[in-house]
Amino acid sequence: MARITASVYTSHVPAIGAALDLGKHTEPYWQPVFAGYEFSRRWLTENPPDVIFLVYNDHATAFSLEMIPTFAIGTAARFEVADEGWGPRPVPPVIGHPEFAAHIAQSVIQDDFDLTIVNRMDVDHGLTVPLSLMCGQPTAWPCPVIPFAVNVVQYPVPSGRRCYQLGQAIRRAVQCFDEPLKVQIWGTGGMSHQLQGPRAGLINREFDNRFLDRLIADPAGLSTMPHIDYVREAGSEGIELVMWLIARGAMDDAPPVVRHRFYHVPASNTAVGHLILENPS
Ligand code: DHB
Ligand code: FE
């Protein structure tokens, strides 16, 4: 049977991708950001998953405002790197896992979560920047990746509670796949940031660190936090953090092992948060 071994949480700041692509990651501004992922890159090599289930948000790249799925699972064999206005990032294409993705869609939809099935889409910085942070600059990503896109751009966006429960349904789906796959689930986006309006540039270290504490120790309680608290405390784009609850819901009920925790301000307009949690067994 397949099983979820660990979850990874990370911000997806597009400027991080640009820093890496342009060779600026050793400059004084960026060095502390990448230093926070040195352990993680080693950890990923030492604990290689067979598949990464990557929860992220599209930024009006694959889905324009014409069509906005709340939850969309990528079932393709391959996903191209999107052109977000400056040409596609010079990173490898994403190889999917159609059979496993179709199984998860089947199981989760039968479990009452109505997913959109996507057989073709390009993936933007929401997905490729977390891969770059965790893998560096390889010629191919280390394993197949199932992209799972969540609408956190156009309201109404899903509640934290719905995201957490969806994670639990994904856990059940993984556990009934009849192949011994080691699966990691990644929750991405966040932390506090606001990109527009009078509060642009907002950062809230206290909120972010409390969010990390509660994600580790009290995810069910955290999942009941209403949207307004994210937006008021963590800025309009801080709402991306609901995606972290999907990954957390997919973890075992037993307390996780905290393998790594990192927090840094600033990276472009955002706070960077990062966690690696392992399942105890
Ligand atoms: C920035 C952050 C984001 O999450 C994003 O999607 C776009 C821009 C920023 O910090 O500039
Ligand atoms: Fe974003």
Side-chain angles (χ1 to χ4, degrees):
M1 291 296 170
R3 68 193 169 91
I4 292 175
T5 54
S7 51
V8 173
Y9 308 81
T10 178
S11 309
H12 65 213
V13 191
I16 291 177
L20 202 58
D21 300 344
L22 300 171
K24 296 185 179 211
H25 51 293
T26 52
E27 291 184 0
Y29 180 88
W30 289 111
Q31 195 279 332
V33 176
F34 288 94
Y37 290 81
E38 268 164 28
F39 169 87
S40 314
R41 285 194 291 280
R42 255 194 339 268
W43 172 86
L44 188 62
T45 333
E46 288 161 9
N47 298 275
D50 297 309
V51 183
I52 296 168
F53 190 91
L54 206 158
V55 180
Y56 78 109
N57 72 288
D58 178 78
H59 298 75
T61 304
F63 308 118
S64 69
L65 292 183
E66 291 174 3
M67 211 182 292
I68 306 163
T70 301
F71 298 118
I73 186 165
T75 45
R78 178 180 162 119
F79 304 88
E80 302 301 334
V81 176
D83 182 347
E84 298 179 63
W86 296 269
R89 288 191 61 213
V91 297
V94 171
I95 303 305
H97 196 314
E99 195 193 348
F100 190 35
H103 163 84
I104 293 173
Q106 159 82 16
S107 173
V108 168
I109 291 170
Q110 295 308 312
D111 213 354
D112 301 335
F113 288 83
D114 308 312
L115 307 183
T116 298
I117 291 161
V118 185
N119 289 318
R120 181 167 180 272
M121 70 174 165
D122 294 351
V123 286
D124 74 9
H125 70 270
L127 185 130
T128 62
V129 167
L131 282 172
S132 295
L133 280 168
M134 292 296 295
C135 309
Q137 295 174 294
T139 50
W141 301 120
C143 66
V145 174
I146 298 177
F148 191 88
V150 180
N151 169 40
V152 287
V153 170
Q154 171 73 51
Y155 282 84
V157 310
S159 69
R161 192 179 53 245
R162 186 71 174 155
C163 288
Y164 187 62
Q165 290 170 350
L166 170 59
Q168 293 171 328
I170 292 167
R171 184 204 317 177
R172 290 189 286 273
V174 168
Q175 286 171 346
C176 67
F177 188 63
D178 202 12
E179 269 183 48
L181 298 179
K182 284 184 293 203
V183 181
Q184 283 180 12
I185 183 161
W186 294 10
T188 65
M191 296 203 87
S192 57
H193 62 305
Q194 170 142 347
L195 301 178
Q196 20 72 43
R199 295 203 310 162
L202 177 146
I203 300 285
N204 186 340
R205 291 168 187 263
E206 210 173 297
F207 173 92
D208 289 340
N209 280 290
R210 176 110 182 94
F211 187 92
L212 295 173
D213 292 341
R214 295 187 73 194
L215 191 75
I216 294 165
D218 177 30
L222 180 62
S223 77
T224 65
M225 184 165 72
H227 285 154
I228 189 67
D229 289 11
Y230 288 86
V231 175
R232 189 187 291 123
E233 300 297 324
S236 49
E237 278 66 47
I239 194 66
E240 289 176 347
L241 284 168
V242 293
M243 296 186 289
W244 293 29
L245 287 161
I246 297 179
R248 187 65 181 88
M251 294 289 284
D252 289 357
D253 292 331
V257 178
V258 182
R259 199 48 80 197
H260 186 53
R261 177 170 174 163
F262 173 66
Y263 183 74
H264 176 81
V265 176
S268 182
N269 299 296
T270 91
V272 170
H274 175 40
L275 274 181
I276 298 178
L277 304 183
E278 288 177 1
N279 270 332
S281 50

